[in-house]
Amino acid sequence: MADYSKGFKRRVVQLWIQHGMSTNEISRSSGIDHKTLMKWYKRFYPEITGGGQTRQSARI
């Protein structure tokens, strides 16, 4: 398993939010597992958006 930096993970989530892509689209284009992406999303979404909770309607 690759060891990605916090900055890389945050940037992937930021691009994901900006482009409104589905988890599957991000996974296919990046080669990163769907479950790994969801963990990153849950971790960084609140930080990126300034909110306290993850968006319930995240496209999966």
Side-chain angles (χ1 to χ4, degrees), residues 32-51:
I32 299 168
D33 180 68
H34 173 272
K35 289 181 181 180
T36 299
L37 290 170
M38 288 308 297
K39 288 178 187 176
W40 295 0
Y41 184 88
K42 289 176 183 177
R43 164 64 179 89
F44 293 104
Y45 181 84
E47 182 181 311
I48 292 168
T49 63

Side-chain angles (χ1 to χ4, degrees), residues 10-38:
R10 189 179 192 286
R11 184 71 178 143
V12 168
V13 173
Q14 187 172 26
L15 290 171
W16 179 1
I17 293 166
Q18 289 174 346
H19 294 283
M21 297 170 74
S22 72
T23 310
N24 289 332
E25 290 171 315
I26 295 290
S27 182
R28 278 193 306 269
S29 66
S30 67
I32 299 168
D33 180 68
H34 173 272
K35 289 181 181 180
T36 299
L37 290 170
M38 288 308 297

